[in-house]
Amino acid sequence: IELLVVIAIIAILISLLVPAVQKVRSASARTQCLNNMKQVALATHGYHDANKRFPYATRDYQPGESVATYVTGLILILPFIEKDDIARRWDPTQPRNSVVDTDGDGYTNAMLQKMLIPTLICPAMTPPIGPLPEERGWCSYLFNAGTRDVTDFHYLAPAPSFDGNVAPPVANLYV
């Protein structure tokens, strides 16, 4: 009987310990997410320091190109999050799902877009259940595209006039 009491006490202690361990894991995952966001923010500012502008959120056409590539600005900050190897292999003149290896390095944009980049994944986020379109690798963070014109996507009628709080439209934004 004494053995059963000892086993019961150990079982109770273990049952009290399991939730504490789960809380520590959850807190660790949230901390890693915050660190990843900080790294993305620092990389964005690093890109700005090097190029005198922030990276675009998404872009259909690269400057001077006629092929719609539809890429995210996260590609531009890869060198600033120590993923320069992927950034150098990315061909901005090809669509993101292109299987053409223009430089002969054995990598295509279709292959590169499948890669998971740990800095861009929050461990507290549940991964997608199934494959993403075009078998893209998933990412927890996005850039906000905003609007080019203060009258675009407003919810009031008539459209609000420019009051200085939002940048006015630029004639040629993608130069």
Side-chain angles (χ1 to χ4, degrees):
I1 238 167
E2 293 172 3
L3 183 62
L4 290 175
V5 170
V6 169
I7 292 174
I9 291 172
I10 291 173
I12 291 171
L13 291 174
I14 289 175
S15 69
L16 293 173
L17 185 63
V18 169
V21 170
Q22 289 174 341
K23 283 184 180 180
V24 169
R25 284 186 187 154
S26 178
S28 173
R30 284 193 310 271
T31 301
Q32 183 62 43
C33 290
L34 290 172
N35 186 49
N36 288 351
M37 288 176 51
K38 179 181 177 184
Q39 293 302 316
V40 169
L42 289 172
T44 302
H45 283 277
Y47 178 88
H48 178 271
D49 291 345
N51 297 284
K52 305 301 181 223
R53 65 176 180 242
F54 283 105
Y56 52 78
T58 58
R59 177 166 280 173
D60 289 334
Y61 295 91
Q62 297 293 331
E65 297 292 331
S66 60
V67 177
T69 59
Y70 189 78
V71 294
T72 173
L74 292 172
I75 291 168
L76 299 175
I77 68 166
L78 288 177
F80 301 93
I81 58 172
E82 299 178 3
K83 288 297 177 185
D84 194 38
D85 56 329
I86 297 172
R88 279 194 316 263
R89 291 178 173 134
W90 183 265
D91 185 354
T93 64
Q94 295 294 317
R96 69 170 183 240
N97 57 352
S98 171
V99 293
V100 177
D101 181 13
T102 55
D103 57 2
D105 65 356
Y107 289 91
T108 65
N109 287 358
M111 293 168 64
L112 293 171
Q113 77 171 355
K114 295 177 186 179
M115 293 184 175
L116 295 177
I117 300 171
T119 306
L120 300 178
I121 296 174
C122 173
M125 179 180 170
T126 304
I129 296 172
L132 296 176
E134 301 172 6
E135 298 180 26
R136 292 192 310 264
W138 64 284
C139 176
S140 303
Y141 312 104
L142 299 172
F143 282 137
N144 185 347
T147 59
R148 293 176 52 182
D149 187 343
V150 295
T151 60
D152 286 349
F153 308 115
H154 62 86
Y155 298 102
L156 303 172
S161 62
F162 175 68
D163 63 1
N165 291 326
V166 181
V170 178
N172 194 352
L173 190 63
Y174 297 114
V175 174

